[in-house]
Amino acid sequence: MEQRVRELQQLLQNASYAYYVLDNPIMEDSVYDQLYRELQEIEAQYPHLVTPDSPTQRVGEKPATQFSSVRHNIPLYSLENAFNIDELKAWEQRWRRNIPVETLHATSLQDATSLQEYVCELKIDGSAIALTYENGLLVRGVTRGDGVMGEDITQNVKTIRSIPLRLQLENPPARVEVRGEAFLPLDVFQQINQERSQKGEPPFANPRNAAAGTLRQLDPRIVDKRRLDFFAYTLHVAGRDDASVYQTQWEALELLQQMGFKVNPHRKLCPTVEEVAAYYQYWDTERLNLPYMTDGVVVKLNSLPLQEQLGFTQKFPRWAIALKYAAEEAPTRVEEIAVNVGRTGALTPMAIMRPVQLAGTTVSRATLHNSDRVAQLDIRVGDTAIVRKAGEIIPEVVRVLPELRPAGTQPFQMPTHCPTCSQPVIKEGAVTRCVNASCPSILKGALEHWVSRDALDINGMGEKLVHQLVDRGVVHSVADLYELTLEEFCALERMGQKSAEKLVIAIATSKTKPWSRVLYGLGIRHVGSVNAQVLTQKFFTVEQLAAAKTSEIESVYGIGAEIANSVYDWFRIPANQTLIERLQAAGLQLAGEVFEESRQNDASLPLAGKTFVITGTLPTLKRDEAKELIQKSGGKVTDSVSKKTDYLVVGEEAGSKLEKAQKLGISILSEAQLLEIVGS
């Protein structure tokens, strides 16, 4: 019976791969269904024969109650955007300037040619997900989230037929990380919207929103019915140097195909930037004939060693860029120009327009950014404006049509006083800013940011409730949230006893959020969630960060002068100092775990002051486990071998790092030797 189960599983897996990945069916649907039912019946009779990669295990029966937030094994960086060929060429000039000098000196004529190579892939308009395979089996699927943390949606990912449950490799690596895009084919999208309309439900605005919403369904049976598809585009083999597995992005894509993944068939290797431009121009119109949405071309340097040398900026990889197509545009009438005040006090002019359909949504408001942009456009009430979605997300005014301008219109002037608090505003370059810390608009923005999911994540504290708390004068600072009582919540409009009790619990729970989330929640200009995590790994307490000089803050990898100055200035403001004191008194986490850098000074620890590199697949420890063990014992773990490396910990298939360490005379340790040193 066990043999028959394995036969059926293999037959069904082969048929599914041919149908969903190769688009070349090898079996009639009726035959597939018959074999599937047979496998179901046997597994029901013999549950011990069920394996995680069985075709019957794709769709779970039990809905999830919620999704847990998890850290990505490797961060998912976003891509820098270019919107025309000139911007593409400017990017090429930038990355060439960043090539290490030693690389240029060592470059042969043949290697110089390889530096010209780019891999072009269509940018699929869907939702990015990260997949983890251990010993060939799919064990985790995670949404992109903020690039550092995402939501575990493994049960939903398993429903996507073009994602293999088991890699098609005889001897798979211990761990494989795959990145790609989940998307809805256009015909499926139209069918779903038709069904929703028949049920009286609102249609999805576009396939991207539909894909993202589908992935976050708690019931995997719903996800399965919506028939998501998937293209893989990035591969990482944990425990090995990627260069020992493949040398180019093109080879990585071919390896993904061998593993059983669907890779976009329209990719192209382009020797020059001119060929990239030709590829981009071809697909500008041809993409309209594709069965899925694409909004641009992703351009990557083909050479993996060159990618590694160029590395990353604070936000983007230097070796890749998204070359976007022009967004859909539409004309409409400007009926009003309003001014919004954000949480940083910035005054943003906003065009209020006659509603117009744009990229699948109704648009009635569009940002005008700042006074300089208003002057440049010379936009006036009554104008006919051309509107588009920047990055197909944020509506913006592209230009106005002065030939259609009514007589008697007046140029728009930015206010001299804050429209919310009536206090005088100041001009900082192109930005007009209210500097009144008590301004209700600034306070509302600060509160909305504080309670947001990536900050303190206070469930139930939405925009309407925040505005009510401020407008009633109940809250004057984020610290006031931690002094609110159940009675005060119950006194608010449309607030029942149970809802009030949940809010009190949610606020209390937020006190357990880590120091990095609190720092992000403070809303310091230029400090996003990723920067907050980086800073708190260097400055373990709020006191350390508050006392740090700008030079000390800027010395942190990934933190530039602008961020450093912003952080330094924020902690010099007396009102902010008072806020920190109140948050400390309320019991929030303004200190974090002391990481490896502080442990290195502890001479009592066995690995104090020593630098390690780990390579290959270790017998029992995962890479992260070995790293944590070294750090707890006072050591430091880096990614590359250099003269400063004290020890190289090696496992199977160690790769080029072992060779380099031997040349430099660096001590080599096995896992057993490492465990002996740390006393484990």
Side-chain angles (χ1 to χ4, degrees):
M1 193 61 68
E2 184 175 352
Q3 183 179 353
R4 179 56 177 166
V5 166
R6 302 292 172 259
E7 288 176 355
L8 288 169
Q9 288 179 346
Q10 192 61 55
L11 281 169
L12 293 169
Q13 286 166 357
N14 292 342
S16 186
Y17 175 72
Y19 186 91
Y20 291 104
V21 178
L22 302 180
D23 197 22
N24 186 26
I26 59 173
M27 185 182 294
E28 295 290 334
D29 290 351
S30 58
V31 176
Y32 182 95
D33 293 340
Q34 187 177 345
L35 294 173
Y36 188 89
R37 282 195 297 272
E38 182 184 350
L39 179 60
Q40 276 184 314
E41 290 169 0
I42 296 174
E43 289 181 343
Q45 191 174 354
Y46 304 98
H48 65 282
L49 297 179
V50 179
T51 60
D53 60 323
S54 173
T56 63
Q57 301 305 297
R58 280 196 174 274
V59 186
E61 295 294 324
K62 187 178 179 182
T65 54
Q66 62 179 21
F67 295 117
S68 58
S69 183
V70 296
R71 181 177 293 274
H72 289 295
N73 296 320
I74 303 169
L76 276 75
Y77 284 80
S78 55
L79 292 179
E80 181 181 0
N81 288 330
F83 292 93
N84 53 56
I85 302 303
D86 287 341
E87 291 182 3
L88 174 70
K89 291 179 177 178
W91 165 76
E92 182 186 46
Q93 292 172 359
R94 286 198 301 277
W95 74 252
R96 288 188 181 279
R97 287 196 298 268
N98 281 289
I99 297 176
V101 175
E102 56 268 26
T103 301
L104 292 174
H105 289 166
T107 298
S108 66
L109 184 62
Q110 183 177 355
D111 292 335
T113 303
S114 70
L115 290 180
Q116 305 279 340
E117 286 186 335
Y118 300 98
V119 175
C120 292
E121 302 169 69
L122 295 178
K123 188 176 182 297
I124 309 303
D125 202 15
S127 192
I129 54 178
L131 308 173
T132 302
Y133 289 80
E134 291 183 354
N135 299 315
L137 283 176
L138 176 65
V139 296
R140 194 174 85 160
V142 183
T143 64
R144 183 186 183 278
D146 63 2
V148 176
M149 304 289 292
E151 290 183 312
D152 190 332
I153 54 165
T154 305
Q155 63 173 1
N156 289 345
V157 163
K158 286 182 175 182
T159 70
I160 303 175
R161 285 347 195 239
S162 47
I163 293 178
L165 299 179
R166 178 186 288 276
L167 299 178
Q168 294 186 353
L169 297 174
E170 288 194 8
N171 297 299
R175 193 171 78 192
V176 171
E177 295 280 332
V178 176
R179 306 291 164 73
E181 200 83 3
F183 64 94
L184 269 180
L186 288 173
D187 60 340
V188 176
F189 171 71
Q190 292 165 357
Q191 183 181 334
I192 290 172
N193 269 353
Q194 187 177 358
E195 291 172 355
R196 290 177 69 86
S197 297
Q198 290 171 352
K199 294 177 182 176
E201 299 173 349
F204 288 116
N206 50 57
R208 183 203 303 116
N209 292 355
T214 298
L215 286 172
R216 296 196 74 255
Q217 287 286 329
L218 293 173
D219 191 343
R221 292 169 294 185
I222 297 175
V223 183
D224 182 53
K225 289 177 181 178
R226 291 187 180 173
R227 304 200 303 278
L228 287 168
D229 209 338
F230 179 81
F231 281 131
Y233 52 66
T234 299
L235 172 66
H236 295 286
V237 181
R240 304 184 192 175
D241 295 332
D242 288 339
S244 69
V245 184
Y246 51 88
Q247 286 286 322
T248 66
Q249 171 68 11
W250 192 264
E251 290 173 358
L253 294 173
E254 291 185 328
L255 183 54
L256 282 167
Q257 279 190 302
Q258 294 172 24
M259 289 178 171
F261 290 96
K262 192 173 183 178
V263 177
N264 195 283
H266 302 299
R267 63 191 183 278
K268 186 177 182 181
L269 187 63
C270 296
T272 66
V273 74
E274 286 74 24
E275 291 200 36
V276 173
Y279 177 91
Y280 170 73
Q281 289 160 352
Y282 172 80
W283 284 106
D284 189 12
T285 53
E286 192 62 25
R287 65 193 174 107
L288 301 175
N289 297 321
L290 292 170
Y292 46 81
M293 292 280 292
T294 176
D295 59 350
V297 172
V298 175
V299 184
K300 298 177 182 176
L301 285 167
N302 191 35
S303 169
L304 185 68
L306 187 56
Q307 287 185 14
E308 291 177 347
Q309 287 181 319
L310 288 171
F312 299 79
T313 67
Q314 185 182 322
K315 295 181 179 179
F316 312 117
R318 292 191 177 92
W319 41 267
I321 195 166
L323 185 54
K324 304 292 287 288
Y325 290 116
E328 180 185 343
E329 299 180 350
T332 186
R333 178 184 169 88
V334 179
E335 297 181 336
E336 181 187 351
I337 298 177
V339 177
N340 292 338
V341 184
R343 65 180 177 86
T344 64
L347 272 62
T348 303
M350 185 77 61
I352 312 299
M353 307 165 301
R354 185 175 295 166
V356 62
Q357 284 292 312
L358 196 62
T361 59
T362 301
V363 173
S364 59
R365 301 165 70 89
T367 181
L368 298 173
H369 300 288
N370 52 52
S371 58
D372 286 4
R373 181 59 176 162
V374 170
Q376 184 184 30
L377 290 168
D378 187 24
I379 189 168
R380 309 180 185 188
V381 174
D383 274 345
T384 298
I386 304 298
V387 188
R388 74 177 177 198
K389 284 192 174 181
E392 299 190 8
I393 299 173
I394 305 170
E396 67 174 1
V397 175
V398 181
R399 62 188 182 278
V400 300
L401 303 178
E403 63 271 22
L404 301 180
R405 177 174 291 161
T409 59
Q410 297 295 319
F412 176 77
Q413 299 291 332
M414 288 291 289
T416 58
H417 290 71
C418 175
T420 302
C421 67
S422 301
Q423 293 298 306
V425 298
I426 63 170
K427 192 86 163 25
E428 296 180 347
V431 179
T432 305
R433 194 179 304 278
C434 174
V435 292
N436 174 22
S438 301
C439 176
S441 287
I442 296 176
L443 178 57
K444 288 173 181 176
L447 285 166
E448 288 171 16
H449 178 70
W450 180 265
V451 305
S452 64
R453 191 169 70 178
D454 292 338
L456 280 296
D457 192 20
I458 301 178
N459 291 326
M461 188 73 70
E463 181 183 332
K464 290 182 179 178
L465 181 57
V466 165
H467 286 215
Q468 191 180 165
L469 290 170
V470 175
D471 292 339
R472 288 194 170 200
V474 179
V475 171
H476 303 277
S477 160
V478 295
D480 290 341
L481 291 175
Y482 298 92
E483 298 176 1
L484 292 175
T485 64
L486 181 63
E487 290 72 24
E488 286 175 307
F489 277 121
C490 288
L492 299 174
E493 293 178 9
R494 300 182 180 181
M495 181 64 66
Q497 179 79 15
K498 288 186 178 179
S499 297
E501 289 172 353
K502 288 181 180 178
L503 275 170
V504 171
I505 294 170
I507 291 171
T509 304
S510 74
K511 295 180 182 181
T512 64
K513 294 291 188 286
W515 164 215
S516 61
R517 300 275 287 269
V518 176
L519 178 59
Y520 173 62
L522 292 173
I524 302 172
R525 288 176 66 191
H526 311 304
V527 178
S529 58
V530 175
N531 290 332
Q533 292 183 42
V534 170
L535 285 168
T536 55
Q537 289 177 13
K538 175 69 175 178
F539 303 98
F540 309 122
T541 68
V542 68
E543 289 85 3
Q544 290 179 1
L545 185 57
K549 301 175 182 176
T550 53
S551 58
E552 294 172 327
I553 302 171
E554 193 177 347
S555 69
V556 179
Y557 181 77
I559 303 297
E562 189 176 34
I563 299 171
N565 288 326
S566 181
V567 172
Y568 180 85
D569 291 342
W570 192 91
F571 281 101
R572 306 282 83 73
I573 297 172
N576 294 338
Q577 296 168 4
T578 301
L579 173 62
I580 294 297
E581 291 171 0
R582 291 186 65 194
L583 292 175
Q584 282 181 313
L588 276 88
Q589 304 298 310
L590 291 162
E593 181 184 355
V594 178
F595 290 88
E596 68 271 16
E597 291 164 60
S598 64
R599 294 192 180 102
Q600 291 169 30
N601 299 320
D602 188 348
S604 66
L605 295 172
L607 305 182
K610 301 299 183 182
T611 300
F612 289 73
V613 174
I614 306 169
T615 186
T617 304
L618 301 179
T620 64
L621 294 174
K622 295 179 180 179
R623 179 72 63 91
D624 292 343
E625 292 171 341
K627 183 177 180 180
E628 185 179 355
L629 182 65
I630 292 168
Q631 291 171 346
K632 286 183 176 180
S633 301
K636 178 182 178 182
V637 181
T638 63
D639 292 327
S640 56
V641 175
S642 70
K643 293 178 180 178
K644 295 181 179 179
T645 305
D646 295 298
Y647 296 99
L648 179 71
V649 182
V650 300
E652 293 183 8
E653 303 180 32
S656 59
K657 288 180 182 178
L658 176 58
E659 185 180 344
K660 187 174 181 180
Q662 290 170 334
K663 288 180 180 178
L664 294 172
I666 292 166
S667 299
I668 311 298
L669 296 177
S670 66
E671 179 189 291
Q673 290 170 319
L674 172 66
L675 293 172
E676 186 179 351
I677 294 173
V678 302
S680 296

